[in-house]
């Protein structure tokens, strides 16, 4: 690849990041913007994503674009999502908004794995979810499912 | 468990002690993407009950507890009936709507939104039709001389390989040597111009089938099973690995296995309904395909009125499909007074469904495979 064109991405809080075009194109949303943007498409605003998150997203795209066949890609991904819940949430949202399938898959899989082996109450505690069923509703649901022999 | 939180008035100011629901700010599409990575049973019996939002997302968008099948005339038609059975609190709801296909033929298989149809007028050329986009494609003729897929010497099925994101047409032809070939349909079906059938090794065991073959029962859109009229084995194929094998039938001391059984998919598993007497059925479920492990589920009693008597014997009702929660099995009473029935495994009741079905109408069951690829709206 001979093209060394760069794109500037600007986050919601005004931080700017200069990246190779090839790396930026890993986001289908940015690809679409560039293809339909016309002459002045060297700076792309990404108002849904903060600087901190955008920086991480770019790190992910760089690795996947520049070294897609490297042996340590898997371990890179595994370490990449060893972050706290808030960051994981921001990564999922950013990857959805920026249309980066690989990162969305990685984030959702990580979140899905957090469900394993947990009871309903433990899931609520882990993710701070309020139980909005009334006791009557819960009882009815429990009764409806008590017959099943298949699980 | 008490939530440690400082009381706050009016607007909730974020405080270090108040933990925000992780999922509140996530769009439904993202939440669905997470749920789709969990096994269906966990979603159905656990995850659903966390909160109301999850309950409706999982029930309506992920589990989609519908059993769908087509009713079409045996002679082939372009107007078929789409039967959709869904489960509600009060029981089953049945929808019967006409579906106009832009094609006339005999539907052999149905996976997701694709029908595999054989054209009775063109020596049985295969046609793949998308019922949502209403577009279709003729498939190249297969290399065996089976004479058109509507005789009794071959069976076809449409499977979906969710790992590779491709559909596969599986064609098994009783030659008299048993032969098999596959056609792989990538991505956008309308753009498949250079398709070629690929021969694969056929099953070396074919049971009692000496003269004919037929269409398989599809499980999860991945495992195909053929009843080969044998009391010891089935013939199965893992369409992802593209490999045949024998599946040993379950063994029971109380009711030795004979040939009076039917195969049906139940909630993602192959089930064998063994008619141990004319009105009692033992249900076996193939819980583990790799290890051929069967589990004896419950027994059900159908009733003598469900058999169709053809002197000197009778024809048993056969299962058509099952709702995904596995609670209701849909049976068809064969014969001139044909009807559809649902058996409720919880209340142990057989009920006739309020739908007209003619003896000349055949059922083609839909297999829904949740696609591995997730489409993000631009």
């Amino acid at each position: 690849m001979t093209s060394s064109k760069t794109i500037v991405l600007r986050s919601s809080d005004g931080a700017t990041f200069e990246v190779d075009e090839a790396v930026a194109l890993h986001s289908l949303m940015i690809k679409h913007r560039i293809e339909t943007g016309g002459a002045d498409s060297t700076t792309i605003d990404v108002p849904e994503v903060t600087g901190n998150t955008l920086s991480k997203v770019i790190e992910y795209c760089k690795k996947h674009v520049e070294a897609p066949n490297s042996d340590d890609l898997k371990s890179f991904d595994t370490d990449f999502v060893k972050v706290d819940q808030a960051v994981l949430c921001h990564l999922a949202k950013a990857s959805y908004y920026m249309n980066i399938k690989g990162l969305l898959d990685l984030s959702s899989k990580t979140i899905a794995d957090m469900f394993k082996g947990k009871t309903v109450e433990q899931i609520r505690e882990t993710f701070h979810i309020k139980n909005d069923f009334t006791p009557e509703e819960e009882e009815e649901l429990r009764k409806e499912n008590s017959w099943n022999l298949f699980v | 468990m008490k939530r440690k939180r400082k009381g706050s008035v009016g607007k909730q100011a974020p405080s270090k002690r108040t933990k925000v629901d992780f999922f509140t700010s996530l769009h439904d599409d993202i939440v669905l993407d997470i749920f789709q990575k969990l096994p269906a049973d966990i979603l159905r019996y656990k995850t659903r009950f966390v909160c109301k939002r999850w309950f409706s997302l999982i029930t309506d968008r992920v589990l989609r507890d519908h059993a769908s099948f087509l009713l079409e005339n045996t002679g082939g038609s372009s107007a078929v009936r789409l039967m959709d059975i869904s489960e509600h609190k009060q029981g089953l709801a049945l929808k019967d709507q006409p579906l106009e296909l832009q094609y006339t033929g005999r539907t052999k298989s149905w996976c997701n939104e694709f029908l595999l149809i054989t054209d009775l007028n063109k020596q049985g050329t295969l046609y793949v039709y998308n019922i949502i986009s209403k577009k279709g494609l003729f498939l190249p003729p297969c290399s065996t001389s089976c004479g058109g897929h509507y005789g009794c010497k071959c069976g076809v099925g449409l499977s979906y390989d969710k790992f590779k994101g491709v559909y596969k047409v599986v064609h098994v032809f009783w030659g008299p040597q048993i032969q098999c070939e596959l056609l792989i349909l990538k991505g956008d079906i309308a753009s498949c111009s250079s398709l070629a059938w690929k021969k694969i090794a056929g099953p070396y065991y074919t049971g009692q089938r000496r003269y004919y073959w037929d269409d398989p029962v599809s499980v999860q859109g991945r495992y195909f099973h053929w009843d080969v009229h044998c009391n010891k084995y089935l013939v199965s194929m893992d369409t992802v690995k593209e490999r045949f094998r024998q599946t040993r039938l379950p063994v029971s001391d109380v009711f030795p296995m004979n040939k009076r059984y039917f195969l049906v998919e139940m909630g993602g598993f192959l089930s064998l309904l063994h008619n141990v007497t004319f009105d009692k059925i033992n249900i076996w479920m193939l819980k583990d395909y790799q290890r051929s492990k069967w589990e004896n589920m419950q027994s059900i009693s159908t009733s003598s009125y469900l058999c169709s008597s053809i002197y000197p014997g009778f024809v048993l009702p056969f299962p058509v499909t099952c709702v995904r929660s596995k609670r209701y099995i849909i049976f068809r009473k064969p014969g001139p007074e044909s009807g559809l029935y649902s058996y409720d495994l919880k209340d142990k009741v057989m009920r006739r469904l309020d739908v007209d079905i003619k003896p000349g109408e055949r059922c083609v069951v839909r297999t829904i495979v949740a696609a591995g690829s997730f489409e993000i709206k631009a």
Side-chain angles (χ1 to χ4, degrees), chain A residues 84-98:
Chain A
D84 68 33
Q85 269 194 24
V87 177
L88 193 53
C89 182
H90 290 310
L91 281 176
K93 287 194 283 192
S95 59
Y96 174 75
Y97 173 72
M98 294 176 74

Side-chain angles (χ1 to χ4, degrees), chain B residues 88-140:
Chain B
H88 296 281
K89 266 193 209 158
Q90 295 80 19
L92 296 179
L94 199 73
K95 262 201 300 201
D96 178 357
Q97 64 195 62
L99 186 63
E100 199 62 49
L101 307 180
Q102 264 125 38
Y103 201 70
T104 305
R106 186 178 160 106
T107 307
K108 301 285 270 171
S109 188
W110 185 5
C111 185
N112 288 338
E113 67 268 34
F114 295 103
L115 297 179
L116 182 63
I117 301 174
T118 181
D119 183 345
L120 304 169
N121 296 320
K122 286 197 176 80
Q123 284 88 54
T125 304
L126 288 172
Y127 187 76
V128 173
Y129 181 77
N130 182 328
I131 59 176
I132 294 178
S133 73
K134 303 210 191 290
K135 294 205 174 77
L137 174 78
F138 278 104
L139 299 182

Side-chain angles (χ1 to χ4, degrees), chain A residues 103-122:
Chain A
L103 183 55
L104 179 58
D105 270 348
L106 180 61
S107 316
S108 346
K109 180 94 195 358
T110 308
I111 299 167
D113 286 345
M114 290 163 75
F115 285 54
K116 295 217 169 117
K118 291 196 168 72
T119 63
V120 170
E121 191 49 51
Q122 285 167 340

